[in-house]
Coordinates of all heavy atoms in Angstrom, one line a residue:
M1 N -19.1 1.0 -10.6 CA -18.8 2.1 -9.8 C -17.3 2.0 -9.2 O -16.8 1.0 -8.9 CB -19.8 2.1 -8.6 CG -19.6 3.3 -7.6 SD -20.9 3.6 -6.4 CE -22.2 4.0 -7.5
F2 N -16.6 3.1 -9.1 CA -15.2 3.2 -8.7 C -15.0 4.3 -7.6 O -15.9 5.1 -7.5 CB -14.3 3.3 -9.8 CG -14.2 4.8 -10.4 CD1 -13.4 5.7 -9.9 CD2 -15.2 5.1 -11.4 CE1 -13.4 7.0 -10.4 CE2 -15.2 6.3 -12.0 CZ -14.3 7.3 -11.4
A3 N -13.9 4.2 -6.9 CA -13.6 5.2 -5.9 C -12.1 5.3 -5.9 O -11.4 4.3 -6.1 CB -14.2 4.8 -4.6
V4 N -11.7 6.5 -5.4 CA -10.3 6.7 -5.2 C -10.1 6.9 -3.6 O -10.7 7.8 -3.1 CB -9.7 8.0 -6.0 CG1 -8.4 8.2 -5.5 CG2 -9.8 7.7 -7.4
V5 N -9.4 6.0 -3.1 CA -9.2 6.0 -1.5 C -7.7 6.2 -1.2 O -6.8 5.9 -2.0 CB -9.6 4.8 -0.9 CG1 -11.2 4.5 -1.1 CG2 -9.0 3.6 -1.4
R6 N -7.5 6.9 0.0 CA -6.2 7.1 0.4 C -5.9 6.2 1.6 O -6.7 6.3 2.6 CB -6.0 8.5 0.7 CG -4.6 8.8 1.2 CD -4.4 10.3 1.4 NE -5.6 11.1 1.8 CZ -5.8 12.4 1.5 NH1 -4.9 13.1 0.8 NH2 -6.8 13.0 2.1
T7 N -4.8 5.5 1.6 CA -4.4 4.8 2.9 C -2.8 4.6 2.8 O -2.4 4.3 1.6 CB -5.1 3.4 2.9 OG1 -4.7 2.7 4.1 CG2 -4.9 2.5 1.7
G8 N -2.3 4.8 3.9 CA -0.8 4.5 3.9 C -0.1 5.6 3.2 O 1.1 5.3 2.7
G9 N -0.7 6.7 2.9 CA 0.0 7.8 2.3 C 0.1 7.7 0.7 O 0.6 8.5 0.1
K10 N -0.8 6.7 0.3 CA -0.9 6.5 -1.2 C -2.4 6.4 -1.6 O -3.2 6.3 -0.8 CB -0.2 5.2 -1.6 CG 1.2 5.1 -1.3 CD 1.8 3.9 -1.7 CE 3.3 3.8 -1.4 NZ 3.6 3.8 0.1
Q11 N -2.6 6.7 -2.9 CA -4.0 6.7 -3.3 C -4.2 5.5 -4.3 O -3.4 5.2 -5.2 CB -4.3 8.0 -4.1 CG -4.2 9.2 -3.2 CD -4.3 10.5 -4.0 OE1 -4.7 10.6 -5.1 NE2 -4.1 11.7 -3.3
Y12 N -5.4 4.9 -4.2 CA -5.7 3.8 -5.0 C -7.1 3.9 -5.6 O -8.1 4.3 -5.0 CB -5.7 2.5 -4.2 CG -4.3 2.2 -3.5 CD1 -4.3 2.7 -2.2 CD2 -3.4 1.5 -4.0 CE1 -3.0 2.5 -1.5 CE2 -2.3 1.2 -3.3 CZ -2.1 1.8 -2.1 OH -0.8 1.5 -1.4
R13 N -7.2 3.5 -6.9 CA -8.4 3.5 -7.7 C -9.0 2.2 -7.5 O -8.5 1.2 -8.0 CB -8.3 3.8 -9.1 CG -9.7 3.9 -9.8 CD -9.4 4.2 -11.3 NE -10.6 4.4 -12.1 CZ -11.4 3.5 -12.6 NH1 -11.1 2.3 -12.4 NH2 -12.4 3.9 -13.2
V14 N -10.2 2.0 -6.9 CA -10.7 0.7 -6.6 C -12.2 0.6 -7.1 O -12.9 1.6 -7.1 CB -10.7 0.4 -5.1 CG1 -9.2 0.3 -4.6 CG2 -11.5 1.3 -4.3
A15 N -12.5 -0.7 -7.3 CA -14.0 -1.1 -7.7 C -14.3 -2.4 -6.9 O -13.4 -3.0 -6.4 CB -14.0 -1.2 -9.0
A16 N -15.5 -2.7 -6.7 CA -15.9 -3.9 -6.0 C -15.4 -5.1 -6.8 O -15.3 -5.2 -8.0 CB -17.4 -4.0 -6.1
G17 N -14.6 -6.0 -5.9 CA -14.0 -7.2 -6.5 C -12.5 -7.0 -6.7 O -11.9 -8.0 -7.1
D18 N -12.0 -5.8 -6.7 CA -10.6 -5.6 -6.8 C -9.7 -6.1 -5.8 O -10.1 -6.1 -4.6 CB -10.3 -4.1 -7.1 CG -10.7 -3.6 -8.5 OD1 -11.2 -4.4 -9.3 OD2 -10.7 -2.4 -8.6
K19 N -8.5 -6.5 -6.1 CA -7.5 -6.9 -5.0 C -6.4 -5.8 -5.0 O -5.8 -5.6 -6.3 CB -7.0 -8.3 -5.2 CG -8.0 -9.3 -5.0 CD -7.4 -10.7 -5.1 CE -8.5 -11.7 -5.0 NZ -7.9 -13.1 -5.3
I20 N -6.0 -5.3 -4.0 CA -4.9 -4.3 -3.9 C -4.0 -4.6 -2.8 O -4.3 -5.2 -1.9 CB -5.4 -2.8 -3.8 CG1 -6.3 -2.7 -2.4 CG2 -6.3 -2.5 -4.9 CD1 -6.7 -1.2 -2.2
V21 N -2.7 -4.1 -3.0 CA -1.6 -4.3 -2.0 C -1.4 -3.0 -1.4 O -1.0 -2.0 -2.0 CB -0.4 -4.9 -2.6 CG1 0.7 -5.0 -1.5 CG2 -0.7 -6.3 -3.3
V22 N -1.6 -2.8 -0.1 CA -1.4 -1.6 0.6 C -0.4 -1.6 1.8 O 0.1 -2.8 2.1 CB -2.8 -1.0 1.2 CG1 -3.7 -0.8 0.0 CG2 -3.2 -1.9 2.2
E23 N 0.0 -0.5 2.2 CA 0.8 -0.6 3.5 C 0.1 -1.3 4.6 O -1.1 -1.4 4.6 CB 1.1 0.9 3.9 CG 2.0 1.8 3.0 CD 3.4 1.3 2.9 OE1 3.9 0.9 3.8 OE2 4.0 1.4 1.7
K24 N 0.9 -1.8 5.5 CA 0.4 -2.7 6.7 C -0.9 -2.1 7.3 O -0.7 -1.0 7.9 CB 1.4 -3.1 7.6 CG 0.9 -4.1 8.6 CD 2.0 -4.7 9.4 CE 1.6 -5.6 10.5 NZ 0.7 -6.7 10.1
I25 N -1.9 -2.8 7.4 CA -3.2 -2.4 8.2 C -3.3 -3.6 9.3 O -3.1 -4.7 9.0 CB -4.4 -2.3 7.3 CG1 -4.2 -1.3 6.3 CG2 -5.7 -2.1 8.2 CD1 -5.4 -1.2 5.4
E26 N -3.5 -3.2 10.5 CA -3.6 -4.2 11.6 C -4.9 -5.0 11.4 O -5.9 -4.6 11.0 CB -3.7 -3.5 13.0 CG -2.5 -2.8 13.4 CD -1.2 -3.7 13.5 OE1 -1.5 -4.9 14.0 OE2 -0.1 -3.3 13.1
G27 N -4.8 -6.3 11.7 CA -5.9 -7.2 11.5 C -5.4 -8.6 11.0 O -4.4 -8.8 10.4
E28 N -6.2 -9.6 11.2 CA -6.0 -11.0 10.8 C -6.6 -11.2 9.4 O -7.5 -10.5 8.9 CB -6.6 -12.0 11.7 CG -5.9 -11.9 13.2 CD -4.4 -12.2 13.1 OE1 -4.1 -13.3 12.4 OE2 -3.6 -11.6 13.8
A29 N -6.2 -12.3 8.7 CA -6.8 -12.6 7.5 C -8.2 -13.0 7.7 O -8.5 -13.7 8.6 CB -6.0 -13.8 6.8
G30 N -9.1 -12.5 6.8 CA -10.5 -12.7 6.9 C -11.3 -11.6 7.7 O -12.5 -11.5 7.7
A31 N -10.5 -10.8 8.2 CA -11.2 -9.6 9.0 C -11.6 -8.5 8.0 O -11.1 -8.4 6.9 CB -10.2 -9.0 10.0
S32 N -12.7 -7.8 8.4 CA -13.2 -6.7 7.6 C -12.6 -5.3 8.0 O -12.5 -5.1 9.2 CB -14.7 -6.7 7.7 OG -15.3 -7.8 7.2
V33 N -12.3 -4.6 7.1 CA -11.9 -3.2 7.4 C -12.7 -2.3 6.5 O -13.2 -2.6 5.4 CB -10.3 -3.0 7.1 CG1 -9.6 -3.8 8.1 CG2 -10.1 -3.4 5.7
T34 N -12.7 -0.9 6.9 CA -13.3 0.1 6.2 C -12.4 1.2 6.0 O -11.6 1.6 6.8 CB -14.6 0.7 7.0 OG1 -14.2 1.2 8.2 CG2 -15.7 -0.3 7.1
L35 N -12.3 1.6 4.7 CA -11.5 2.7 4.3 C -12.4 3.9 4.3 O -13.3 4.1 3.4 CB -10.9 2.4 2.9 CG -10.1 1.1 2.9 CD1 -9.6 0.8 1.5 CD2 -8.9 1.0 3.8
D36 N -12.1 4.9 5.1 CA -13.0 6.1 5.3 C -12.6 7.3 4.5 O -13.3 8.1 4.1 CB -13.0 6.6 6.7 CG -13.6 5.4 7.7 OD1 -14.5 4.7 7.3 OD2 -13.1 5.3 8.9
D37 N -11.3 7.3 4.1 CA -10.8 8.5 3.4 C -10.9 8.3 1.9 O -10.1 7.9 1.1 CB -9.2 8.6 3.7 CG -8.7 10.0 3.4 OD1 -9.5 10.8 2.9 OD2 -7.5 10.2 3.6
V38 N -12.3 8.5 1.4 CA -12.6 8.5 0.0 C -12.4 9.9 -0.6 O -13.0 10.8 -0.1 CB -14.1 8.0 -0.2 CG1 -14.5 7.9 -1.6 CG2 -14.3 6.7 0.5
L39 N -11.6 10.0 -1.7 CA -11.3 11.2 -2.2 C -12.2 11.4 -3.4 O -12.5 12.6 -3.7 CB -9.8 11.2 -2.6 CG -8.8 10.9 -1.6 CD1 -7.5 10.8 -2.3 CD2 -8.8 12.0 -0.5
L40 N -12.6 10.4 -4.2 CA -13.4 10.7 -5.4 C -14.2 9.4 -5.6 O -13.8 8.3 -5.2 CB -12.4 10.8 -6.5 CG -13.0 11.0 -7.9 CD1 -13.4 12.5 -8.1 CD2 -11.9 10.7 -9.0
M41 N -15.4 9.6 -6.1 CA -16.3 8.5 -6.4 C -17.1 8.8 -7.7 O -17.6 9.8 -7.9 CB -17.3 8.3 -5.3 CG -18.1 7.0 -5.4 SD -18.7 6.7 -3.8 CE -19.2 5.0 -4.1
G42 N -17.3 7.7 -8.5 CA -18.0 8.0 -9.8 C -18.3 6.7 -10.4 O -18.0 5.7 -10.0
E43 N -19.1 6.8 -11.5 CA -19.6 5.7 -12.3 C -19.4 6.2 -13.8 O -20.2 7.0 -14.1 CB -21.0 5.3 -12.0 CG -21.4 4.0 -12.6 CD -22.7 3.5 -11.9 OE1 -23.1 4.1 -11.0 OE2 -23.2 2.5 -12.4
G44 N -18.5 5.5 -14.6 CA -18.3 6.1 -15.9 C -17.6 7.4 -15.9 O -16.6 7.5 -15.2
S45 N -18.2 8.3 -16.5 CA -17.6 9.7 -16.5 C -18.3 10.7 -15.5 O -18.0 11.8 -15.6 CB -17.6 10.3 -17.9 OG -18.9 10.4 -18.3
E46 N -19.3 10.0 -14.8 CA -20.1 10.9 -13.8 C -19.5 10.8 -12.4 O -19.3 9.6 -11.9 CB -21.5 10.3 -14.0 CG -22.5 11.2 -13.1 CD -23.9 10.5 -13.3 OE1 -24.2 10.2 -14.4 OE2 -24.5 10.4 -12.3
L47 N -19.2 11.9 -11.8 CA -18.7 11.9 -10.4 C -19.8 12.2 -9.4 O -20.9 12.8 -9.7 CB -17.6 13.0 -10.3 CG -16.4 12.9 -11.2 CD1 -15.5 14.0 -11.0 CD2 -15.7 11.6 -10.9
K48 N -19.6 11.6 -8.2 CA -20.6 11.8 -7.2 C -20.0 12.4 -6.0 O -18.8 12.4 -5.8 CB -21.2 10.4 -6.9 CG -21.9 9.8 -8.0 CD -22.5 8.4 -7.7 CE -23.2 7.9 -8.9 NZ -23.9 6.6 -8.6
S49 N -20.9 12.8 -5.1 CA -20.5 13.4 -3.8 C -19.8 12.4 -2.9 O -20.3 11.2 -2.8 CB -21.6 14.1 -3.1 OG -21.1 14.6 -1.8
T50 N -18.7 12.7 -2.1 CA -18.1 11.7 -1.4 C -18.3 11.9 0.1 O -17.7 11.2 1.0 CB -16.5 11.8 -1.6 OG1 -16.0 13.1 -1.1 CG2 -16.2 11.4 -3.0
S51 N -19.2 12.8 0.5 CA -19.5 13.1 1.9 C -20.1 11.8 2.6 O -21.1 11.3 2.2 CB -20.4 14.2 2.1 OG -21.7 13.9 1.4
G52 N -19.5 11.3 3.6 CA -20.0 10.1 4.4 C -19.8 8.8 3.7 O -20.5 7.8 4.2
L53 N -19.1 8.7 2.7 CA -18.9 7.4 2.0 C -17.7 6.6 2.4 O -16.8 7.2 2.9 CB -18.7 7.6 0.4 CG -20.0 8.2 -0.2 CD1 -19.7 8.4 -1.7 CD2 -21.2 7.2 -0.1
T54 N -17.8 5.3 2.5 CA -16.8 4.4 3.0 C -16.7 3.4 1.8 O -17.5 3.0 1.1 CB -17.0 3.8 4.3 OG1 -18.2 3.1 4.2 CG2 -17.0 5.0 5.4
V55 N -15.5 2.7 2.0 CA -15.3 1.5 1.0 C -15.0 0.3 2.1 O -14.1 0.4 2.9 CB -14.0 1.8 0.1 CG1 -13.6 0.5 -0.5 CG2 -14.2 2.8 -0.8
A56 N -15.8 -0.7 1.9 CA -15.6 -2.0 2.7 C -14.6 -2.9 2.0 O -14.7 -3.1 0.8 CB -16.9 -2.7 3.0
A57 N -13.7 -3.5 2.9 CA -12.7 -4.4 2.2 C -12.5 -5.5 3.2 O -12.8 -5.4 4.5 CB -11.4 -3.6 2.0
E58 N -11.9 -6.6 2.7 CA -11.6 -7.8 3.6 C -10.2 -8.0 3.4 O -9.6 -8.0 2.3 CB -12.4 -9.0 3.0 CG -12.2 -10.3 3.8 CD -12.9 -11.5 3.1 OE1 -13.7 -11.2 2.4 OE2 -12.5 -12.6 3.5
I59 N -9.5 -8.3 4.5 CA -8.1 -8.7 4.6 C -7.9 -10.1 4.1 O -8.5 -11.0 4.6 CB -7.5 -8.5 5.9 CG1 -7.5 -7.0 6.3 CG2 -6.1 -9.0 5.9 CD1 -7.1 -6.8 7.8
I60 N -7.1 -10.2 2.9 CA -6.9 -11.6 2.5 C -5.7 -12.2 3.1 O -5.6 -13.3 3.6 CB -6.6 -11.6 1.0 CG1 -7.9 -11.1 0.3 CG2 -6.2 -12.8 0.3 CD1 -7.7 -11.0 -1.2
A61 N -4.6 -11.4 3.3 CA -3.3 -11.8 3.8 C -2.4 -10.7 4.3 O -2.5 -9.6 3.8 CB -2.6 -12.7 2.8
Q62 N -1.5 -11.1 5.2 CA -0.4 -10.1 5.6 C 0.8 -10.7 5.0 O 1.0 -11.8 5.1 CB -0.4 -10.1 7.1 CG -1.6 -9.6 7.9 CD -1.8 -8.1 7.8 OE1 -1.1 -7.3 7.1 NE2 -2.9 -7.7 8.5
A63 N 1.5 -9.8 4.2 CA 2.7 -10.4 3.5 C 3.8 -9.3 3.6 O 3.6 -8.3 4.1 CB 2.3 -10.7 2.1
K64 N 5.0 -9.8 3.2 CA 6.1 -8.9 3.0 C 6.5 -8.7 1.6 O 6.3 -9.7 0.7 CB 7.3 -9.6 3.7 CG 7.3 -9.4 5.2 CD 8.6 -9.9 5.7 CE 8.7 -9.3 7.3 NZ 10.2 -9.5 7.7
G65 N 6.9 -7.5 1.3 CA 7.3 -7.2 -0.1 C 8.7 -7.8 -0.5 O 9.4 -8.5 0.3
E66 N 9.2 -7.5 -1.7 CA 10.5 -8.0 -2.2 C 11.6 -7.3 -1.3 O 11.5 -6.2 -0.7 CB 10.7 -7.6 -3.7 CG 9.8 -8.3 -4.5 CD 10.1 -9.9 -4.5 OE1 11.3 -10.2 -4.6 OE2 9.0 -10.6 -4.5
K67 N 12.8 -8.0 -1.1 CA 13.8 -7.5 -0.4 C 14.6 -6.4 -1.2 O 14.9 -6.6 -2.4 CB 14.8 -8.6 0.0 CG 16.0 -8.0 0.7 CD 17.0 -9.1 1.2 CE 16.6 -9.2 2.7 NZ 17.5 -10.2 3.4
V68 N 14.8 -5.2 -0.5 CA 15.6 -4.1 -1.2 C 16.9 -4.1 -0.5 O 17.0 -4.0 0.7 CB 14.8 -2.8 -1.0 CG1 15.7 -1.7 -1.5 CG2 13.4 -2.8 -1.6
I69 N 17.9 -4.1 -1.2 CA 19.3 -4.1 -0.7 C 19.8 -2.6 -0.7 O 19.8 -1.8 -1.7 CB 20.3 -5.0 -1.5 CG1 19.8 -6.4 -1.5 CG2 21.7 -4.8 -1.0 CD1 19.8 -7.0 -0.3
V70 N 20.2 -2.1 0.5 CA 20.9 -0.8 0.5 C 22.3 -1.0 0.8 O 22.8 -1.6 1.7 CB 20.3 -0.1 1.8 CG1 20.9 1.4 2.0 CG2 18.8 0.0 1.7
F71 N 23.1 -0.5 -0.3 CA 24.5 -0.7 -0.3 C 25.2 0.7 -0.3 O 25.0 1.5 -1.2 CB 25.0 -1.5 -1.4 CG 26.5 -1.9 -1.4 CD1 26.9 -2.8 -0.6 CD2 27.3 -1.1 -2.2 CE1 28.4 -3.2 -0.5 CE2 28.6 -1.5 -2.3 CZ 29.2 -2.4 -1.3
K72 N 26.0 1.0 0.7 CA 26.8 2.2 0.7 C 28.3 2.0 0.7 O 28.8 1.0 1.2 CB 26.6 2.9 2.2 CG 25.2 3.2 2.4 CD 25.0 3.9 3.8 CE 23.5 4.2 4.0 NZ 23.4 4.9 5.5
K73 N 28.9 2.8 -0.2 CA 30.3 2.6 -0.4 C 31.0 4.0 -0.6 O 30.4 4.8 -1.3 CB 30.6 1.8 -1.6 CG 32.1 1.5 -1.9 CD 32.3 0.8 -3.1 CE 33.7 0.5 -3.4 NZ 34.0 -0.3 -4.6
R74 N 32.2 4.1 0.1 CA 32.9 5.3 -0.1 C 34.3 4.8 -0.7 O 35.0 4.1 0.1 CB 33.2 6.1 1.2 CG 31.9 6.6 1.7 CD 32.2 7.6 2.7 NE 30.9 8.1 3.4 CZ 30.7 8.4 4.6 NH1 31.6 8.2 5.5 NH2 29.5 8.8 4.9
R75 N 34.5 5.2 -1.8 CA 35.8 4.5 -2.5 C 37.0 5.1 -1.9 O 37.1 6.2 -1.4 CB 35.7 4.7 -4.0 CG 35.7 6.1 -4.4 CD 35.4 6.3 -5.9 NE 35.7 7.7 -6.4 CZ 36.1 8.0 -7.6 NH1 36.3 7.0 -8.5 NH2 36.3 9.2 -7.9
R76 N 38.0 4.2 -1.9 CA 39.3 4.6 -1.3 C 39.4 4.8 0.1 O 40.3 5.3 0.6 CB 39.9 5.7 -2.1 CG 40.2 5.4 -3.5 CD 41.0 6.5 -4.3 NE 40.4 7.8 -4.2 CZ 39.5 8.2 -5.2 NH1 39.2 7.5 -6.2 NH2 38.9 9.4 -5.1
H77 N 38.2 4.4 0.8 CA 38.2 4.6 2.3 C 37.9 3.3 3.0 O 37.8 3.2 4.3 CB 37.2 5.7 2.7 CG 37.6 7.0 2.4 ND1 38.4 7.8 3.0 CD2 37.1 7.8 1.3 CE1 38.6 8.9 2.4 NE2 37.8 8.9 1.4
N78 N 38.0 2.1 2.3 CA 37.5 0.9 2.7 C 36.4 0.9 3.6 O 36.2 0.4 4.8 CB 38.8 0.4 3.8 CG 38.7 -1.1 4.0 OD1 38.1 -1.9 3.2 ND2 39.2 -1.7 5.2
Y79 N 35.3 1.5 3.2 CA 33.9 1.8 3.8 C 32.9 1.1 3.0 O 32.7 1.5 1.9 CB 33.7 3.2 4.1 CG 32.4 3.5 4.5 CD1 32.1 3.4 6.0 CD2 31.3 3.8 3.7 CE1 30.9 3.7 6.4 CE2 30.0 4.1 4.3 CZ 29.8 4.0 5.6 OH 28.6 4.3 6.1
R80 N 32.3 0.0 3.4 CA 31.3 -0.7 2.7 C 30.2 -1.1 3.8 O 30.6 -1.7 4.7 CB 31.8 -1.9 1.9 CG 32.5 -1.5 0.7 CD 33.0 -2.6 -0.1 NE 34.0 -3.4 0.6 CZ 35.4 -3.2 0.5 NH1 35.7 -2.0 0.0 NH2 36.3 -3.8 1.2
R81 N 29.0 -0.8 3.5 CA 27.9 -1.3 4.3 C 26.7 -1.8 3.5 O 26.3 -1.3 2.5 CB 27.3 0.0 5.2 CG 28.4 0.6 6.0 CD 28.7 -0.2 7.3 NE 29.7 0.5 8.1 CZ 31.0 0.4 8.0 NH1 31.5 -0.2 7.1 NH2 31.7 1.1 8.9
R82 N 26.3 -3.0 3.9 CA 25.2 -3.6 3.2 C 24.0 -3.9 4.2 O 24.3 -4.4 5.2 CB 25.7 -5.0 2.6 CG 24.7 -5.8 1.8 CD 25.3 -7.1 1.3 NE 24.4 -7.8 0.5 CZ 23.5 -8.7 1.1 NH1 23.5 -8.8 2.3 NH2 22.8 -9.2 0.2
N83 N 22.8 -3.5 3.8 CA 21.7 -3.7 4.6 C 20.6 -4.0 3.8 O 20.5 -3.6 2.6 CB 21.4 -2.3 5.4 CG 20.5 -2.6 6.5 OD1 20.1 -3.6 6.9 ND2 20.4 -1.4 7.3
G84 N 19.6 -4.8 4.3 CA 18.5 -5.2 3.5 C 17.1 -4.8 4.2 O 17.1 -4.6 5.4
H85 N 16.0 -4.7 3.5 CA 14.8 -4.3 4.1 C 13.6 -5.0 3.3 O 13.7 -5.0 2.0 CB 14.6 -2.8 4.0 CG 13.3 -2.3 4.5 ND1 12.9 -2.2 5.8 CD2 12.2 -1.9 3.8 CE1 11.8 -1.8 5.9 NE2 11.3 -1.6 4.8
R86 N 12.7 -5.5 4.0 CA 11.4 -6.0 3.5 C 10.3 -5.3 4.2 O 10.1 -5.4 5.3 CB 11.4 -7.5 3.7 CG 12.4 -8.3 2.9 CD 12.2 -9.8 3.0 NE 11.0 -10.2 2.3 CZ 10.4 -11.4 2.4 NH1 11.1 -12.3 3.1 NH2 9.4 -11.8 1.7
Q87 N 9.5 -4.6 3.3 CA 8.3 -3.8 3.7 C 7.1 -4.8 4.0 O 6.8 -5.7 3.3 CB 7.9 -2.8 2.8 CG 6.8 -1.9 3.2 CD 7.3 -0.9 4.4 OE1 8.5 -0.5 4.3 NE2 6.4 -0.6 5.2
N88 N 6.4 -4.6 5.1 CA 5.2 -5.3 5.4 C 4.1 -4.7 4.6 O 3.9 -3.5 4.5 CB 4.8 -5.2 6.9 CG 5.8 -6.0 7.7 OD1 6.3 -7.0 7.5 ND2 6.2 -5.3 8.9
H89 N 3.2 -5.6 4.0 CA 2.1 -5.2 3.2 C 0.8 -6.0 3.7 O 0.9 -7.0 4.3 CB 2.3 -5.5 1.7 CG 3.4 -4.9 1.1 ND1 3.4 -3.5 0.9 CD2 4.5 -5.3 0.5 CE1 4.5 -3.2 0.3 NE2 5.2 -4.1 0.0
T90 N -0.3 -5.4 3.3 CA -1.6 -6.1 3.5 C -2.2 -6.2 2.2 O -2.3 -5.2 1.5 CB -2.5 -5.2 4.5 OG1 -1.7 -5.2 5.8 CG2 -3.8 -6.0 4.7
I91 N -2.9 -7.4 1.9 CA -3.6 -7.6 0.6 C -5.0 -7.5 1.0 O -5.5 -8.3 1.8 CB -3.2 -9.0 0.0 CG1 -1.6 -9.0 -0.2 CG2 -3.9 -9.2 -1.3 CD1 -1.1 -10.5 -0.7
L92 N -5.7 -6.6 0.3 CA -7.1 -6.3 0.5 C -8.0 -6.8 -0.7 O -7.5 -6.6 -1.8 CB -7.3 -4.8 0.8 CG -6.7 -4.3 2.0 CD1 -7.1 -2.7 2.1 CD2 -7.3 -5.0 3.2
K93 N -9.2 -7.2 -0.5 CA -10.1 -7.5 -1.5 C -11.3 -6.5 -1.2 O -11.8 -6.5 -0.1 CB -10.6 -8.9 -1.4 CG -11.8 -9.1 -2.5 CD -12.1 -10.6 -2.6 CE -13.2 -10.7 -3.7 NZ -13.7 -12.0 -3.8
I94 N -11.7 -5.7 -2.2 CA -12.7 -4.6 -2.0 C -14.0 -5.4 -2.1 O -14.3 -6.0 -3.2 CB -12.5 -3.6 -3.1 CG1 -11.1 -2.9 -3.1 CG2 -13.6 -2.5 -2.9 CD1 -10.8 -2.3 -1.7
V95 N -14.8 -5.3 -1.1 CA -16.1 -6.0 -1.0 C -17.2 -5.0 -1.7 O -18.0 -5.4 -2.5 CB -16.5 -6.3 0.4 CG1 -17.8 -6.8 0.5 CG2 -15.4 -7.2 1.0
S96 N -17.2 -3.7 -1.2 CA -18.3 -2.8 -1.7 C -17.7 -1.4 -1.7 O -16.9 -1.1 -0.8 CB -19.5 -2.9 -0.9 OG -19.4 -2.5 0.5
V97 N -18.2 -0.6 -2.6 CA -17.9 0.8 -2.7 C -19.2 1.7 -2.4 O -20.2 1.4 -3.0 CB -17.4 1.1 -4.1 CG1 -17.1 2.7 -4.2 CG2 -16.1 0.3 -4.5
G98 N -19.1 2.5 -1.4 CA -20.2 3.3 -1.1 C -20.9 2.7 0.0 O -21.5 2.8 0.8

């Protein structure tokens, strides 16, 4: 059985036992969270109704993504700006679907 859930402005196809990396969700490692925004649910090629369904997940870790360098330059104006950013992520393990 699989489901498509929306969290952090993105959509993920999940099944029981999957590990996914999502935008930061508040909580400590080992805490349980429920993903309420289920868009699609099915088994094989058969789709099911999503009314009132949730996906249970467990937080494995809070982590940071790879560093992204933002470099701005205007040639012939002696203008250079260098900035870095690391996005916060949450690693989830899907416990059950439905």
Side-chain angles (χ1 to χ4, degrees):
M1 180 166 299
F2 71 93
V4 175
V5 296
R6 179 172 38 205
T7 179
K10 298 177 183 69
Q11 297 174 10
Y12 302 92
R13 183 185 189 275
V14 297
D18 287 353
K19 292 181 183 178
I20 58 173
V21 177
V22 299
E23 296 287 326
K24 183 167 175 62
I25 297 175
E26 293 299 322
E28 297 294 321
S32 297
V33 295
T34 58
L35 304 174
D36 298 327
D37 198 1
V38 179
L39 303 175
L40 182 75
M41 187 162 198
E43 190 165 356
S45 62
E46 185 177 319
L47 298 178
K48 299 185 179 183
S49 175
T50 60
S51 59
L53 292 177
T54 59
V55 173
E58 177 185 351
I59 296 176
I60 294 176
Q62 301 284 3
K64 282 191 162 188
E66 294 293 317
K67 180 171 251 188
V68 176
I69 301 296
V70 179
F71 185 75
K72 298 179 180 180
K73 179 180 178 180
R74 294 192 184 143
R75 59 188 195 156
R76 296 188 298 272
H77 289 283
N78 196 24
Y79 174 85
R80 288 181 289 279
R81 301 290 182 266
R82 182 179 181 273
N83 199 357
H85 175 75
R86 290 184 72 186
Q87 185 69 33
N88 292 319
H89 294 299
T90 300
I91 302 172
L92 295 177
K93 179 177 183 190
I94 306 301
V95 177
S96 66
V97 175

